[in-house]
Amino acid sequence: MTWVGVEVVADNLAARGSSGCAFENVDLEVAAGQLAVIVGSAGSGRTSLLWALSGRMRLVTGRLVVGGHRYDEQPGAIQDSVAIARLEPGCVLDPWLRVEEVIAERTLIGGPRFTESALATTFAAMGTSAPAGQRLVGELAPGEALVLAVALAAAEQPGAVVVDDVGAGCTSSETRWVWQCLRELTVHGCTVLAAATAPPPFDDITVLTLTPPRTADARAADRSDLQENA
């Protein structure tokens, strides 16, 4: 199975959350079938940026084009082409379900392309296999649970998959394995937009480093200093 990845182009993106500026001045260009990693600490806006790149967060400024679709004209088309594997709040696997129950649930609510056969093929494309069906999701190692979430999203054959907090709770070797699984998925054509606190050990990927946006108080202090020094 191959995926038809989408190109992602962002120019001067900015968005606001409930507590103020989520991120600002973001420029990003991701080729179709490429792995792009947004690196940042807590509060840097990396999760909000993933929501925005998937067409699911309102922008204040900037231009976003995903797979040829402009966010200001066709947000629904972007949402249809970008699948979310893991993204807080809300887009996470239920830890109290068994793996087989999660798969059965996705068969009912997933897109028409999602089948157990497609899921098995997706795991194979990532160079691994599905966890045993009787295991609880909450009993899986963090890396196993993340790869399961990615496979469930990718099995619908979207143009891109979004996944946050890669490596969270994982050992260093497990983190390397997860990154390799994501990279293998891009080899088969799927664009992957990921976020983490540190980049993977690959040279041929796009990495965007975010820093926490400055607060309104900090901006006001800057303007005051400029006026005093003028």
Side-chain angles (χ1 to χ4, degrees), residues 79-158:
Q79 294 168 17
D80 289 342
S81 65
V82 181
I84 295 176
R86 182 172 76 183
L87 196 56
E88 292 281 9
C91 292
V92 295
L93 299 181
D94 187 337
W96 299 107
L97 291 180
R98 299 189 186 279
V99 172
E100 61 186 9
E101 293 173 329
V102 171
I103 294 173
E105 179 182 68
R106 191 61 60 93
T107 302
L108 294 175
I109 66 174
R113 293 183 176 180
F114 186 91
T115 63
E116 291 193 31
S117 176
L119 181 61
T121 302
T122 301
F123 273 111
M126 298 171 72
T128 186
S129 56
Q134 289 298 314
R135 296 177 67 188
L136 289 172
V137 170
E139 294 176 343
L140 300 176
E144 285 184 296
L146 180 56
V147 169
L148 171 61
V150 171
L152 288 167
E156 296 183 28
Q157 293 180 261

Side-chain angles (χ1 to χ4, degrees), residues 4-8 30-34 66-68 81-82 158-160 189-191:
V4 180
V6 291
E7 181 185 31
V8 179
V30 185
Q34 186 178 25
V66 179
S81 65
V82 181
C190 187
T191 305

Side-chain angles (χ1 to χ4, degrees), residues 1-62:
M1 185 166 68
T2 59
W3 284 258
V4 180
V6 291
E7 181 185 31
V8 179
V9 179
D11 296 319
N12 195 34
L13 293 192
R16 293 182 61 83
S18 59
S19 58
C21 181
F23 59 82
E24 57 187 352
N25 304 321
V26 171
D27 297 316
L28 180 66
E29 186 168 343
V30 185
Q34 186 178 25
L35 170 61
V37 183
I38 300 163
V39 177
S41 59
S44 64
R46 67 174 193 264
T47 300
S48 294
L49 181 54
L50 287 182
W51 278 114
L53 294 177
S54 70
R56 294 169 172 87
M57 185 172 187
R58 187 180 300 277
L59 299 172
V60 175
T61 62

